[in-house]
Amino acid sequence: MEPLRPANLPPLSVGTTAGSARPGEEAGREIFVEISKTTWCMKICVRRRPCAAGETESSNWTLEDLKSKAAADTVFGPDTSQQEVLQSILEPQLDRFLHEPGFSAVFLAYGQTGSGKTHTIFGPPGVLTEHDYNQSGGSPQTWGFFPYAAVATLGALERQGLLKRAQLKVSAVEVYLERMFDLLNERHHVAVPGASVRAASNRPDNESTKYDANGKWLPPGKWLGEKTLPGISATAKKTVIDSAIDVVHVARLVEATRSAQSHALNHRSSRSHCMITLTLRLIDLTGNLSEGRLVFVDLAGSERVGKSGVNAESTGGAKAFNLPGRVTVDIPGTRFDEARSVNCSLSALGRVIAALARRDKYVSFRDSALTQLLKDPLTGCAAHVTVILALRAEQSNDSETQSTMRFGTVCKDAAGSSNMRAKSVPSKGRTNKAGAAAGALAELRKQLMATTEEVERMTAEGQDEHVNPQGFAAPTIQGFLDNKAKFEDAKRLVTRLKEQMAERRSELRLAGGSEDGDKRLQELGTSLTTAQQATFVASGIFYRQVTTGIWTGRTPALQQKMTLRDQLTKEIAFLESAGTA
Ligand SMILES: Nc1ncnc2c1ncn2[C@@H]1O[C@H](COP(=O)(O)OP(=O)(O)OP(=O)(O)O)[C@@H](O)[C@H]1O
């Protein structure tokens, strides 16, 4: 594998991640330094985006005003490049992540719609491609926090010969209309006990709250007509990433599956909050296992519904792309509900942070799915939280700018009381309190054996997916199996074609060409339409056939056990390859 540390940035200031190993550095040693004490701290930074091409609107705000009003530690003006922001904000935390076992940091991008949150966390539209990566010979200068951090981490591990004893995993969860979805696992619903149900039912004024004929509360998924998703899991899937290309694929999958919508203020507006977690697990030379995390949160944009052209009659909720066969949401008022839901959850986040700042005994994390999701990263003992306040700051956005600044001051207050809280929040063992990897391995093997037995038992009981041949002629069964295979192939093809279109767009952009009239893009577009139609038809046939009783799906309980078995197997393989067997 090629060294992955981006060549176009100056060396990291600490440790061994830049260039070759330092004199005296022995592979695997320097990274395992002792940290005497971890603290919980919060930094605020303001990033003002430039006006879009063709816009000339002036602003009432100087950078100094912004800094003092938001109580910010750092301010970046419209001319600051992505690289400068990365170097100033991300790199110091990245250094610690790489050198202090168990170090955790959170980056929270907050701001009005279209202010540059996704730009900061992921990058501008269309840059997350293999093509861009290969052309730049490292992380492209435009890449955002998440892809840059992931690639830099892999590069550092490789240079230090630690790839065998380290594992980098990523998970991505979206909060959309108070429900959580796993973006790396076909948008399966991620259940966090009590979170979404309480959040919605506690708010009688919430437009998103609906009831059935008996007055029973209906979760949004039900009234949106969404199918029950198979395999609801308690936690999001963690995907192992081994190369820059894996990072590109993950980032693009997130981009493609996230709920997005075009409106007057942003043509690729994220209508959901998205949390990406990079987990680095390391086994040191004495066999101790540590786990550090970098958490990137791209919050959905707060919006004044009138400005974005959304009202109670607006139809067509966010489309989750890349989901062949999934029912598209198109319910009157859905976009309005989205805006309300986003604004409610951001208010809940503000209240939570304010309560933390006041050192309240009770902090209402359960007010929204977002705060439930952020509870762990925000209260972790080793968490270093950086809030990036993204701004448009032109005159017409004055009230949004004021409101973003207010969020900054709330966070700053919380930062002031952080030391107190750090003592009262118990550590979840993610600091350098490393467990012995060898002991963990023995425990995992025991768990694997028990889980495998469970899977076998449940399969023998008929809980795995199967065809029910009774009452069906052989050609009918064969027809069903053929269509099922066609459905799965078509889903894969749709995903591949979307990736190829993104690649082509990037090539054209780099070559300074236009997408209009590009033959290759048109061909891909036509193939995509055909593949989407095939998926739609096959999914219709599949679900109709399933209602005849010809096929029984796997039970969720067995699915969970099988997922657990796979995770345990991978985990054991990792520990064994790290030499702790
Ligand atoms: N600092 C910047 N420099 C150049 N372009 C930027 C900058 N910040 C944002 N943009 C551009 O502005 C547009 C909107 O940005 P982005 O999608 O990141 O906004 P957002 O805050 O995530 O909005 P939403 O909340 O609606 O999802 C994008 O095309 C993005 O590339």
Side-chain angles (χ1 to χ4, degrees):
M1 190 163 69
E2 285 297 299
L4 296 175
R5 163 104 183 132
N8 44 10
L9 281 180
L12 292 170
S13 52
V14 182
T16 57
T17 54
S20 55
R22 284 198 207 146
E25 176 190 348
E26 207 177 310
R29 279 215 188 271
E30 189 169 342
I31 214 155
F32 298 106
V33 293
E34 271 288 305
I35 33 174
S36 54
K37 198 174 165 196
T38 50
T39 50
W40 193 95
C41 69
M42 187 175 262
K43 286 215 177 323
I44 319 291
C45 93
V46 170
R47 182 175 195 190
R48 189 187 154 192
R49 59 160 283 189
C51 285
E55 285 177 10
T56 49
E57 212 187 331
S58 62
S59 168
N60 292 332
W61 299 86
T62 64
L63 291 186
E64 269 314 306
D65 291 342
L66 293 174
K67 185 166 187 207
S68 64
K69 185 85 181 172
D73 299 285
T74 320
V75 183
F76 300 108
D79 299 329
T80 316
S81 70
Q82 185 89 313
Q83 269 207 312
E84 286 165 320
V85 177
L86 283 164
Q87 279 168 18
S88 165
I89 302 296
L90 174 66
E91 293 251 355
Q93 309 286 41
L94 189 57
D95 268 351
R96 296 191 65 183
F97 178 63
L98 292 169
H99 294 92
E100 295 175 12
F103 179 81
S104 292
V106 182
F107 299 89
L108 202 66
Y110 181 101
Q112 79 169 107
T113 185
S115 56
K117 299 178 295 296
T118 308
H119 184 97
T120 302
I121 300 293
F122 291 95
V127 299
L128 292 163
T129 64
E130 285 173 44
H131 181 263
D132 278 31
Y133 177 79
N134 292 332
Q135 288 275 313
S136 324
S139 288
Q141 300 193 358
T142 47
W143 275 14
F145 279 39
F146 158 65
Y148 178 86
V151 169
T153 302
L154 289 169
L157 294 173
E158 185 183 31
R159 271 188 305 281
Q160 296 194 56
L162 281 171
L163 281 177
K164 274 207 139 189
R165 290 193 288 113
Q167 193 180 45
L168 190 63
K169 289 184 179 180
V170 61
S171 66
V173 177
E174 142 177 299
V175 179
Y176 175 65
L177 286 178
E178 286 301 309
R179 298 186 79 204
M180 297 185 207
F181 297 94
D182 187 344
L183 296 181
L184 303 184
N185 193 13
E186 298 182 347
R187 290 181 65 82
H188 282 186
H189 182 199
V190 182
V192 172
S196 52
V197 174
R198 279 164 191 263
S201 58
N202 277 349
R203 274 202 309 272
D205 62 337
N206 185 349
E207 292 278 331
S208 305
T209 306
K210 299 203 189 261
Y211 303 90
D212 69 10
N214 302 319
K216 195 168 160 240
W217 179 76
L218 288 176
K222 285 259 163 67
W223 54 263
L224 292 174
E226 191 180 283
K227 286 182 192 309
T228 306
L229 293 162
I232 292 179
S233 53
T235 52
K237 180 176 160 188
K238 285 185 180 163
T239 303
V240 175
I241 43 180
D242 288 327
S243 68
I245 301 310
D246 289 349
V247 176
V248 167
H249 286 161
V250 164
R252 266 227 309 270
L253 188 58
V254 170
E255 195 178 40
T257 47
R258 209 174 153 189
S259 304
Q261 182 60 266
S262 175
H263 62 63
L265 299 177
N266 186 2
H267 76 277
R268 63 138 190 203
S269 182
S270 316
R271 305 319 301 137
S272 62
H273 311 293
C274 172
M275 181 170 105
I276 303 249
T277 307
L278 262 185
T279 307
L280 176 62
R281 308 183 71 223
L282 288 163
I283 297 171
D284 72 9
L285 295 174
T286 59
N288 277 350
L289 177 67
S290 68
E291 190 171 299
R293 294 190 304 177
L294 289 183
V295 181
F296 303 96
V297 187
D298 177 10
L299 293 166
S302 52
E303 68 179 80
R304 295 231 311 274
V305 288
K307 263 193 178 178
S308 54
V310 173
N311 58 46
E313 302 307 317
S314 300
T315 59
K319 310 246 182 311
F321 303 106
N322 206 21
L323 289 171
R326 190 162 178 272
V327 179
T328 306
V329 176
D330 191 10
I331 305 277
T334 297
R335 285 186 58 193
F336 186 67
D337 287 339
E338 280 171 2
R340 296 257 340 215
S341 167
V342 166
N343 292 344
C344 283
S345 53
L346 290 174
S347 305
L349 179 61
R351 285 198 300 276
V352 158
I353 293 180
L356 288 170
R358 288 193 304 266
R359 300 167 202 172
D360 285 0
K361 269 197 180 146
Y362 174 72
V363 180
S364 52
F365 283 104
R366 289 193 162 182
D367 269 4
S368 81
L370 172 69
T371 44
Q372 186 83 9
L373 185 67
L374 291 179
K375 180 180 175 193
D376 191 31
L378 284 180
T379 58
C381 221
H384 291 67
V385 183
T386 305
V387 179
I388 301 150
L389 299 172
L391 294 177
R392 292 172 74 100
E394 296 87 25
Q395 268 168 10
S396 57
N397 293 303
D398 223 41
S399 67
E400 287 87 350
T401 303
Q402 298 266 11
S403 135
T404 306
M405 300 283 116
R406 268 197 302 280
F407 187 78
T409 49
V410 167
C411 294
K412 198 65 192 177
D413 286 349
S417 61
S418 61
N419 285 342
M420 179 85 169
R421 192 166 54 262
K423 282 178 200 149
S424 62
V425 179
S427 162
K428 300 242 172 81
R430 285 193 310 274
T431 60
N432 60 338
K433 288 183 183 165
L441 187 58
E443 181 54 33
L444 288 172
R445 282 180 178 145
K446 220 160 79 190
Q447 274 183 34
L448 178 62
M449 206 184 297
T451 309
T452 308
E453 278 170 14
E454 277 282 276
V455 167
E456 282 165 5
R457 183 186 59 75
M458 291 163 102
T459 307
E461 282 172 358
Q463 294 199 37
D464 203 356
E465 58 181 30
H466 56 270
V467 169
N468 302 311
Q470 299 86 349
F472 295 99
T476 311
I477 295 173
Q478 194 52 49
F480 167 75
L481 291 175
D482 289 348
N483 180 64
K484 185 167 176 286
K486 216 188 274 174
F487 181 28
E488 268 143 29
D489 286 351
K491 281 198 278 188
R492 275 191 290 273
L493 182 60
V494 166
T495 308
R496 214 170 44 245
L497 286 167
K498 282 185 173 174
E499 286 190 2
Q500 285 174 4
M501 286 181 80
E503 289 288 333
R504 181 65 192 153
R505 289 206 168 96
S506 155
E507 277 169 24
L508 289 170
R509 202 167 27 74
L510 279 182
S514 149
E515 289 179 17
D516 296 339
D518 180 67
K519 208 155 163 263
R520 174 86 184 118
L521 208 52
Q522 281 169 358
E523 282 167 5
L524 286 169
T526 311
S527 307
L528 180 63
T529 309
T530 312
Q532 278 171 328
Q533 280 163 355
T535 312
F536 186 69
V537 171
S539 75
I541 298 171
F542 176 77
Y543 289 118
R544 244 192 340 270
Q545 286 174 326
V546 166
T547 59
T548 65
I550 195 170
W551 188 75
T552 306
R554 185 174 291 148
T555 63
L558 177 58
Q559 182 60 56
Q560 267 184 13
K561 287 279 169 212
M562 288 173 116
T563 309
L564 178 63
R565 184 189 58 184
D566 293 347
Q567 282 169 352
L568 289 167
T569 309
K570 282 187 195 148
E571 193 71 23
I572 289 170
F574 163 61
L575 291 176
E576 284 175 347
S577 72
T580 52

